[in-house]
């Protein structure tokens, strides 16, 4: 498969035939969960918000990714970061020695 595009200091070349396959489709934002990936994703989505970048048609997230997607969709920068750093570290959220069987 040939390169679909080439960016250099001198010029930009785009293979419009290859690129055309993707122009009319939907674009999804998928955010994964899990510890450090979640906090990284919250920073990326905050950068998207600050740049007013939202070309997405559909949104999918799991665990921390779902929280980050909620923050992105509500247009609240740093809310995803707060979910992860503030809420999940609160003693009411999780305490190793106070787990009870129901």
């Amino acid at each position: 498969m040939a390169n679909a595009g080439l960016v250099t200091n001198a010029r930009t070349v785009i293979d419009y035939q290859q690129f055309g396959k993707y122009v009319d489709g939907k674009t999804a934002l998928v955010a994964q969960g899990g510890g450090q990936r979640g906090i990284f994703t919250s920073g990326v989505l905050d950068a998207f918000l600050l740049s007013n970048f939202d070309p997405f048609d559909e949104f999918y997230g799991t665990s921390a990714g779902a929280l980050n997607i909620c923050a992105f969709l509500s247009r609240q920068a740093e809310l995803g970061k707060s979910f992860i750093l503030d809420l999940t570290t609160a003693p009411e959220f999780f305490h190793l020695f106070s787990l009870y069987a129901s």
Side-chain angles (χ1 to χ4, degrees):
M1 179 171 132
N3 190 352
L6 175 67
V7 178
T8 67
N9 290 337
R11 64 190 178 123
T12 302
V13 178
I14 297 174
D15 181 349
Y16 288 100
Q17 183 177 4
Q18 180 72 18
F19 182 67
K21 295 177 186 178
Y22 306 102
V23 172
D24 294 327
K26 288 186 176 182
T27 303
L29 176 61
V30 180
Q32 77 284 15
Q36 298 303 313
R37 290 183 302 270
I39 195 67
F40 177 81
T41 301
S42 73
V44 171
L45 295 182
D46 283 348
F48 285 178
L49 285 174
L50 296 173
S51 301
N52 203 24
F53 178 75
D54 185 2
F56 308 107
D57 301 301
E58 298 177 355
F59 303 87
Y60 303 94
T62 59
S63 191
L67 295 174
N68 285 325
I69 292 286
C70 289
F72 180 77
L73 291 174
S74 65
R75 303 295 188 245
Q76 296 186 43
E78 298 199 14
L79 183 60
K81 175 182 163 186
S82 179
F83 282 146
I84 295 167
L85 295 181
D86 299 331
L87 297 178
T88 62
T89 59
E92 298 83 12
F93 182 80
F94 177 78
H95 189 273
L96 181 62
F97 299 108
S98 66
L99 297 176
Y100 299 100
S102 47

